[in-house]
Amino acid sequence: MSRGRFAGAVGSWLVALRIARREARRARGRTALVLAMITLPVLALSFSAVSWDMAELTRAEQLDRRLGGADAELRWSAENALVQDAWGENSWPAEGETVPRTRPVTAAEVTALLPSGSRVSRVRWWVPFEVRLDGRNVSFDARSLDLTDPVARPLARLRAGRPPTAPTEIAVSRPALRRLGVPLGGAVRTADGGGPYRVVGVVEFPDNLREVVAMRPEAPAGPVAPPDESWLVDVPGRLDPALVDRLNARGVTVAARTAVPGRDDAAGDVTSLPDAAEAGDAVLVGGLGLLEVVLLVGPAFAVGVRRRRRDLALVAVAGGDHVHLRRVVLADGVVLGAGGAALGLLLGTAAAFAGRPLVEQYLTSARSGGYRVFPAALAAIGAVAVLAGLLAALAPAWAAAREDVVAGLAGRRSPPRHRRRWLVIGVLLTVGGAAVAALGAARTTPTVILAGLILGELGLVFGTPTLIGLLAGAGRLLPLAPRLALRDASRNRASAAPAISAVMAAVAGSVALGVYVASDDARSRADWQPGIPPGNVLLLRSDAAGAELPPLAHVTEEVRAVLPDGTVARVDVPACAAPTSPDDYCNAAAMIPPDRECPYELTGYLTADGRRQALADPRCARPSRSPDGLYLPAYVDDGSALPALTGAPAAEVAAATRVLRAGGVVVTDPRQVVDGWVTVTASRTADGQDPPSIATVTLPGYALRGGLPVDRLFLSATAAARVGLVGQQLGYAVDTTGPPTVAQQQRLAADLPRLGPLQVQVEQDQPHSDRRPLLLLLAIGSGVITLGAAGAATGLAAAEGRRDLSTLAAVGASPRVRRVLSLCQAGVIAVLGSALGIVAGLGSALIILASVNRRYATAWPVETPYPVVVPWLTLGVLVVVPLLAMLGAGLMTRSRLPVERPLE
């Protein structure tokens, strides 16, 4: 481009921007509408960006919260020499393997490694602190440190009272004080009977605003493992590299405020690159949001172009060509986009600063860093906002450049010209998008699926004007008000089509996600396999094997006080008969004879013919499923626990019990029993032994039928002894007549720990998955967009159609017509957009689910296909929203018809 042409283009743009600024001041209502639509997403994004940037701590801020008033933090974790990085985040042995330090560390030992005059303070960032509240044990995040020491005092802020000075005193955060239900100065006992601890202060740790308890370094009593503690040190002078070398030679890792010279800066050398798939998804989702904003804002620019036909025609008469006309309209998008960006960035940043305490308290649960903004993110958000305004004005700009100048000067409307190529492009994009989404679903690639859905929605956007024209042709059969609404939508397709497309895009996304979520939830419920009969209760050991569990009679008494019809049985699992070390592990399994095993590899790839053969082979029909609840494959039992663990019929349980009491075994897989015998293998893994030792024996066996389809082995005590195993008590099983209520579960959880270390687990018949709030949230989101688009389009149509309303008033139309016409105009936007969105969303979901199920149909082992589940909650909300939009338009419109000028 020559210098003269460049100067001419710059001058043309400057003139266009001045015209756009003048027009923004003249059409204040339309300007406010566009600014609001652009400002709101910019405000939300800038608020999120600034809040995230403040919450993302710098290294210096992280070290301030970790070191308090200290110069460095020491972690003595090894007995041999270590090598560390510059910041003490990673360390490795200088030679050979790390020799962990097991002996407790004392303050004298740490001080002996430091220069004279150094000060040390021990900190444990987590210690156990469990309190019994409302009949159950509640764990708190507890820390052990000396808040009276100047080195550790800056780690917390004292809000009330004083810091603890004795081992029996604690300080708590405000949420912990509310949870404990005691006043300042009150006493608290731990669940194990420890204490009492007197609450003497209220503190706040900036890295955790939840329920936190601060204890003295001497509490709780007991040995402390070196990896669980660190030492804050304050040294006279500077922490020099020679001191760090001496500490590393003793197995101590040093984290200082500045990087240690001469060490690898691993964190600084690594450049964090975003994941390609996540970046692609973010770009596509951002593009979808940009498209939604463009579609919502587009009608306002289209109406602005129609109301400025004469002004644009005068520009053409004055010598302006189609390029100048396009620039004049595009300048509107630039001015309003820049204005919305500036306003949104300013309000979003101010909201982030003002709402910072709420974000800290309810979102991050931690104090943010310094007050700062995110310049790169804010610049990108502002640029996208300007781009949204420019894209929203693009279609009206091209339309303005093709307007008839004579018709514009005369104030007449040019009949809309709609080219068939847009319909062809829309069909091609819709079909291509469906194919791309199906391909992504078949390959399980979310980015490709999302790209296909966006292409499909773009195709529907291109085809919407043609659909409006077809519906307007059929409107001759309707009454006056809906016929006028359809005619206006057809005549003003440049403003009606984007609004309908915006509603359609929001509703389609909501419906598609809703169908997928509901179908996935139904598939999860179909795949759910309880580990024990639903409603039965397991009372499991809550500590490591060691402490004796209470006797069966005592447990039965406590259980029947809550569940009168419950039957309690002891549950034992196989263990090594003569362990040589605490790390020895033993287990048992029943073997399937080779001639009864499925000849097809369960995890291998099968061709279509191989899969058909495998499905037809009875040996590959597995009689059991993998449980989703608690699963233990082997038990040592005499038949007492069979009803509670299997749910088998009484006759089967009786037959199995006779076999167990005769010294045999019971299995749930009939393939494992051959002529009344079962082959059992016991594996034993000792410390340092590889591979494990195996013992095999054939025992009398019985196949239990009629219970849960879960593979299990029950060994009698005699059978377990023959393979070198013994029974080790795991807990108790309770056979119930019905699922216990929440109150009964809470009472069991409160009463049983008094007898011994027992925890309560109740088997569920369905997975814990209630996604109704998510479905409702999706519907509400699309409903808000529908209401906004319908309201904006109706308001613009009302402003554009004032002459038509005046004509109606002149020919004797009743004042009620205007209200009904506004109602119908909103209905055209909301109903048509919602209907298209529901159809598009259901179609997209069907394509994705069908593609996934087609892939599952060729998989081996057999996968459960996705059922097609319609989210009626979502659809119900989406059906009601258009009615609300029509009702709102009718209520917000005045019944009185305007007369703009006297009719002669």
Side-chain angles (χ1 to χ4, degrees):
M1 180 184 292
S2 64
R3 181 176 299 178
R5 293 183 61 186
F6 177 76
V10 172
S12 175
W13 269 108
L14 292 176
V15 172
L17 291 174
R18 287 199 299 270
I19 295 174
R21 185 181 61 181
R22 183 197 64 184
E23 181 63 22
R25 292 177 177 176
R26 290 172 54 185
R28 296 183 179 180
R30 191 166 62 250
T31 299
L33 177 64
V34 175
L35 286 178
M37 290 183 178
I38 295 178
T39 298
L40 287 177
V42 172
L43 187 154
L45 291 174
S46 58
F47 173 85
S48 302
V50 173
S51 298
W52 180 86
D53 192 45
M54 290 190 293
E56 194 73 9
L57 302 181
T58 63
R59 186 187 292 276
E61 291 168 341
Q62 294 175 4
L63 289 172
D64 279 340
R65 296 188 180 182
R66 188 76 182 182
L67 300 181
D71 295 323
E73 179 188 26
L74 309 184
R75 297 187 301 276
W76 199 336
S77 58
E79 295 284 3
N80 55 338
L82 298 175
V83 178
Q84 69 167 68
D85 61 14
W87 295 99
E89 296 174 350
N90 299 290
S91 62
W92 53 93
E95 295 181 357
E97 299 292 332
T98 302
V99 180
R101 182 184 176 95
T102 58
R103 296 181 294 106
V105 181
T106 64
E109 288 180 295
V110 177
T111 306
L113 301 178
L114 300 173
S116 177
S118 298
R119 190 186 189 99
V120 301
S121 181
R122 190 180 74 169
V123 175
R124 281 186 286 171
W125 295 103
W126 182 88
V127 292
F129 193 86
E130 197 171 61
V131 178
R132 192 161 192 80
L133 299 173
D134 299 327
R136 58 192 181 93
N137 295 344
V138 178
S139 296
F140 288 81
D141 181 5
R143 302 174 179 186
S144 174
L145 71 168
D146 185 3
L147 292 178
T148 63
D149 192 325
V151 175
R153 187 185 303 151
L155 293 175
R157 180 177 297 177
L158 186 65
R159 294 296 189 182
R162 60 176 177 83
T165 57
T168 57
E169 296 179 342
I170 59 174
V172 299
S173 62
R174 291 194 185 278
L177 189 66
R178 290 193 295 267
R179 185 68 180 277
L180 291 170
V182 297
L184 194 64
V188 175
R189 281 191 177 274
T190 56
D192 58 2
Y197 294 98
R198 183 163 168 262
V199 181
V200 297
V202 177
V203 295
E204 176 186 290
F205 288 90
D207 64 320
N208 189 349
L209 301 182
R210 302 186 189 94
E211 300 164 351
V212 184
V213 176
M215 310 179 72
R216 289 285 303 174
E218 305 87 21
V224 180
D228 296 336
E229 67 179 0
S230 60
W231 294 84
L232 301 181
V233 300
D234 181 22
V235 297
R238 190 171 59 90
L239 189 72
D240 59 342
L243 176 59
V244 176
D245 291 338
R246 291 197 302 271
L247 292 172
N248 288 163
R250 297 294 301 272
V252 181
T253 305
V254 182
R257 294 186 181 276
T258 58
V260 179
R263 307 300 175 98
D264 294 333
D265 188 358
D269 294 340
V270 177
T271 301
S272 178
L273 296 177
D275 181 73
E278 293 180 358
D281 292 344
V283 170
L284 290 174
V285 171
L288 194 59
L290 177 64
L291 174 64
E292 193 71 28
V293 173
V294 169
L295 292 175
L296 288 172
V297 176
F301 287 109
V303 171
V305 168
R306 287 199 300 271
R307 303 198 68 167
R308 296 166 60 193
R309 287 189 301 270
R310 181 176 176 83
D311 295 343
L312 295 174
L314 289 175
V315 172
V317 170
D321 56 11
H322 61 281
V323 175
H324 294 97
L325 293 176
R326 283 199 296 268
R327 287 174 181 169
V328 169
V329 180
L330 290 175
D332 289 344
V334 174
V335 169
L336 295 181
L343 185 60
L345 292 176
L346 181 62
L347 293 177
T349 303
F353 286 170
R356 171 172 160 146
L358 297 177
V359 172
E360 294 172 342
Q361 189 69 39
Y362 298 106
L363 292 181
T364 62
S365 297
R367 294 298 178 197
S368 299
Y371 282 89
R372 51 179 175 266
V373 297
F374 197 168
L378 296 185
I381 293 170
V384 171
V386 175
L387 178 62
L390 193 62
L391 292 177
L394 190 59
W398 282 97
R402 298 196 304 267
E403 285 283 344
D404 185 1
V405 176
V406 176
L409 290 174
R412 299 193 306 268
R413 289 185 177 181
S414 300
R417 294 179 297 173
H418 301 286
R419 304 179 187 275
R420 187 172 297 176
R421 62 186 180 189
W422 297 118
L423 177 61
V424 174
I425 292 174
V427 172
L428 292 177
L429 284 176
T430 302
V431 174
V436 172
L439 177 64
R443 297 186 176 181
T444 321
T445 309
T447 304
V448 178
I449 295 174
L450 191 57
L453 294 179
I454 292 176
L455 286 176
E457 288 192 5
L458 282 175
L460 293 175
V461 169
F462 280 109
T464 301
T466 303
L467 180 61
I468 294 175
L470 295 175
L471 291 176
R476 293 189 297 269
L477 305 176
L478 298 175
L480 175 63
R483 184 168 71 249
L484 287 177
L486 281 173
R487 186 208 64 177
D488 287 345
S490 178
R491 289 170 56 185
N492 303 320
R493 298 184 201 182
S495 58
I500 293 173
S501 299
V503 175
M504 177 201 64
V507 171
S510 174
V511 172
L513 286 175
V515 171
Y516 178 79
V517 169
S519 300
D520 183 64
D521 200 26
R523 181 173 182 261
S524 299
R525 288 196 299 269
D527 280 342
W528 177 262
Q529 175 58 58
I532 63 174
N536 283 2
V537 182
L538 286 176
L539 310 177
L540 302 179
R541 180 187 293 275
S542 59
D543 64 348
E548 285 291 332
L549 293 181
L552 176 63
H554 293 175
V555 175
T556 301
E557 182 181 354
E558 289 288 345
V559 169
R560 288 188 173 173
V562 181
L563 303 172
D565 298 328
T567 302
V568 185
R570 174 172 168 151
V571 176
D572 288 6
V573 294
C576 300
T580 58
S581 72
D583 296 328
D584 285 5
Y585 174 75
C586 295
N587 201 3
M591 305 302 295
I592 300 176
D595 59 335
R596 296 188 179 186
E597 287 186 346
C598 179
Y600 302 94
E601 181 64 32
L602 290 179
T603 57
Y605 172 77
L606 291 181
T607 62
D609 291 338
R611 187 177 185 276
R612 283 194 294 270
Q613 294 172 9
L615 291 174
D617 194 329
R619 296 172 297 177
C620 297
R622 302 190 66 188
S624 60
R625 300 170 58 184
S626 298
D628 295 283
L630 177 69
Y631 176 61
L632 294 170
Y635 299 88
V636 178
D637 188 42
D638 62 356
S640 303
L642 282 175
L645 296 177
T646 65
E652 286 291 312
V653 170
T657 301
R658 287 193 296 269
V659 173
L660 288 172
R661 292 181 178 176
V665 298
V666 172
V667 295
T668 55
D669 189 347
R671 298 175 300 173
Q672 297 169 347
V673 182
V674 181
D675 298 329
W677 295 86
V678 176
T679 301
V680 177
T681 62
S683 63
R684 182 191 187 104
T685 304
D687 187 18
Q689 179 183 356
D690 187 28
S693 60
I694 304 293
T696 303
V697 65
T698 301
L699 301 166
Y702 180 80
L704 187 69
R705 294 173 175 84
L708 290 178
V710 176
D711 186 16
R712 281 202 171 97
L713 167 65
F714 292 88
L715 296 162
S716 62
T718 303
R722 291 189 59 182
V723 290
L725 302 175
V726 294
Q728 183 181 71
Q729 187 174 8
L730 179 68
Y732 297 94
V734 183
D735 190 12
T736 62
T737 56
T741 64
V742 175
Q744 289 173 327
Q745 296 179 38
Q746 292 177 347
R747 185 175 171 187
L748 286 174
D751 295 343
L752 289 172
R754 299 171 185 167
L755 299 178
L758 291 173
Q759 59 182 350
V760 179
Q761 290 189 9
V762 179
E763 189 67 354
Q764 305 295 325
D765 59 345
Q766 294 293 337
H768 294 285
S769 176
D770 186 5
R771 300 187 178 181
R772 286 175 297 179
L774 176 60
L775 297 176
L776 186 60
L777 184 62
L778 291 173
I780 291 175
S782 59
V784 169
I785 294 177
T786 301
L787 291 175
T794 303
L796 292 172
E800 182 70 8
R802 291 181 65 88
R803 288 190 176 184
D804 294 337
L805 295 175
S806 299
T807 304
L808 288 174
V811 299
S814 65
R816 187 170 59 89
V817 171
R818 178 176 183 178
R819 189 183 298 274
V820 177
L821 180 59
S822 297
L823 185 147
C824 293
Q825 287 172 335
V828 169
I829 302 299
V831 173
L832 187 55
S834 296
L836 288 175
I838 290 174
V839 172
L842 290 175
S844 302
L846 288 175
I847 291 173
I848 294 173
L849 294 179
S851 301
V852 174
N853 289 340
R854 190 178 301 114
R855 182 169 60 88
Y856 284 171
T858 60
W860 182 260
V862 176
E863 295 277 358
T864 303
Y866 279 94
V868 178
V869 180
V870 178
W872 295 111
L873 178 64
T874 302
L875 293 186
V877 173
L878 295 178
V879 169
V880 172
V881 166
L883 300 178
L884 293 178
M886 296 170 65
L887 181 63
L891 294 176
M892 298 297 293
T893 303
R894 292 180 300 174
S895 298
R896 185 175 180 181
L897 290 169
V899 178
E900 292 193 340
R901 60 179 182 273
L903 298 177
E904 299 177 357

